[in-house]
Amino acid sequence: MVLKAKDVTVVFGQGENQVVALNRVNLEMNKGEFVSIMGASGSGKTTLLQLLGGLDQPTSGEILVSGTNITKMKEKELAIYRRKKIGFVFQQFNLIPVLTAEENVTLPLLIDKKNARIAQQKAQSLLELVGLKERRHHFPSQLSGGQQQRVAIARALITEPSILLADEPTGALDSETSRDVIQLLKKMCGDLEQTCIVVTHDPFIAAYSDRVIILADGMIQNEIHLDSHSDIEKNVEQLQRILVHRLR
Ligand SMILES: Nc1ncnc2c1ncn2[C@@H]1O[C@H](COP(=O)(O)OP(=O)(O)O)[C@@H](O)[C@H]1O
Ligand SMILES: [Mg+2]
């Protein structure tokens, strides 16, 4: 098991303004699993992802990653955990505008003080894998949304993280580009045997996963196991049937 959340609770604010963003969430994930998290806006999806990525700490409960309790870590240790073990992909790509695609992809390795030449070679081969070899010297503003997200995926993978976390990675893309991006993410994670957790509103995206976790009011409301190698359309139909009464 790569990841285990035990009775994780997150409370924001105090007194009357208190919000329970996560309420005793229990979760286990295996190596190589591709999991989606769905749920209405405000159900706690981003909060959960941030905890798993060590960007925030729970109010109570524990998160174990490969047996290590990250909720016991001090900020400095947590920063190392994030840098070495986690890849992040965001809805708004978050590329640095003054750096080229290749420079953006090398950045996590340079921050980690890795050899620049090796970082560049690794970035080039990743950009080739995501289909952007010819665009590696382009700046983000010279790339389409889908291409920018491909760069962001390459950047997230360059440190060979054991867990890839993506918060609505297709939220800013049209439906056709969204499918290309999720297929790429799935292929890359599969090839690298990574655990991948994707937050999405979209059943067409969640249909690619092995398991869909549905959050409601900070609690796990449902877990749906899919055959991610079967017909995607079938999975979409299955998800839509289950979701129709639950979301929004
Ligand atoms: N930093 C914060 N301070 C106060 N409340 C927050 C904070 N972050 C999230 N929340 C609240 O926690 C709940 C869950 O938020 P979030 O995890 O962002 O939901 P989702 O990603 O599913 O839309 C919401 O009610 C939100 O308003
Ligand atoms: Mg969110």
Side-chain angles (χ1 to χ4, degrees):
M1 196 187 312
V2 170
L3 210 149
K4 185 170 182 163
K6 287 204 291 200
D7 267 342
V8 166
T9 295
V10 173
V11 181
F12 291 113
Q14 299 195 333
E16 278 179 24
N17 300 321
Q18 225 174 47
V19 176
V20 181
L22 291 176
N23 192 352
R24 306 194 71 153
V25 168
N26 286 285
L27 200 62
E28 288 185 6
M29 273 170 212
N30 293 316
K31 185 171 159 70
E33 234 190 328
F34 197 85
V35 178
S36 289
I37 299 175
M38 300 188 85
S41 192
S43 59
K45 305 182 297 297
T46 294
T47 305
L48 180 58
L49 219 60
Q50 293 198 326
L51 290 184
L52 300 179
L55 286 169
D56 212 342
Q57 292 283 26
T59 310
S60 62
E62 291 185 338
I63 294 165
L64 304 171
V65 179
S66 310
T68 305
N69 188 346
I70 65 165
T71 46
K72 292 247 158 71
M73 288 181 177
K74 300 238 161 54
E75 181 47 40
K76 208 169 168 184
E77 224 182 329
L78 210 54
I80 296 170
Y81 163 75
R82 284 196 295 269
R83 211 161 66 217
K84 303 237 183 252
K85 299 275 186 195
I86 304 290
F88 288 102
V89 176
F90 303 95
Q91 180 172 352
Q92 298 300 339
F93 325 130
N94 293 6
L95 299 175
I96 295 177
V98 297
L99 299 181
T100 64
E102 186 178 291
E103 288 164 349
N104 267 285
V105 177
T106 56
L107 203 56
L109 288 184
L110 300 185
I111 290 171
D112 208 19
K113 300 190 175 70
K114 294 284 190 297
N115 179 288
R117 173 121 211 101
I118 292 169
Q120 192 188 18
Q121 282 166 0
K122 227 168 156 183
Q124 283 175 5
S125 64
L126 272 167
L127 283 167
E128 188 169 357
L129 284 174
V130 302
L132 287 175
K133 191 181 170 199
E134 264 71 59
R135 311 270 164 130
R136 65 181 192 274
H137 298 307
H138 285 53
F139 291 95
S141 62
Q142 300 170 312
L143 298 169
S144 70
Q147 289 169 337
Q148 288 183 62
Q149 197 59 303
R150 284 165 182 269
V151 174
I153 290 169
R155 178 185 59 184
L157 293 174
I158 197 162
T159 56
E160 299 172 28
S162 48
I163 302 170
L164 191 114
L165 302 174
D167 198 350
E168 311 213 22
T170 64
L173 304 173
D174 63 65
S175 55
E176 202 182 316
T177 311
S178 292
R179 282 201 180 201
D180 290 346
V181 164
I182 197 73
Q183 282 171 357
L184 174 73
L185 203 57
K186 189 174 164 91
K187 185 183 179 315
M188 301 284 287
C189 286
D191 289 352
L192 301 167
E193 288 184 42
Q194 269 159 339
T195 306
C196 184
I197 306 171
V198 179
V199 167
T200 181
H201 279 293
D202 186 350
F204 284 93
I205 299 305
Y208 287 91
S209 44
D210 304 309
R211 180 154 57 114
V212 181
I213 293 166
I214 299 177
L215 285 180
D217 297 325
M219 289 184 275
I220 294 179
Q221 188 187 45
N222 200 358
E223 271 193 53
I224 304 153
H225 289 265
L226 297 173
D227 179 357
S228 62
H229 301 290
S230 88
D231 187 356
I232 294 297
E233 299 306 323
K234 240 192 235 161
N235 287 346
V236 173
E237 277 171 34
Q238 186 186 345
L239 283 173
Q240 281 175 332
R241 240 180 293 126
I242 295 167
L243 292 169
V244 75
H245 298 296
R246 294 186 192 268
L247 291 182
R248 299 221 173 166

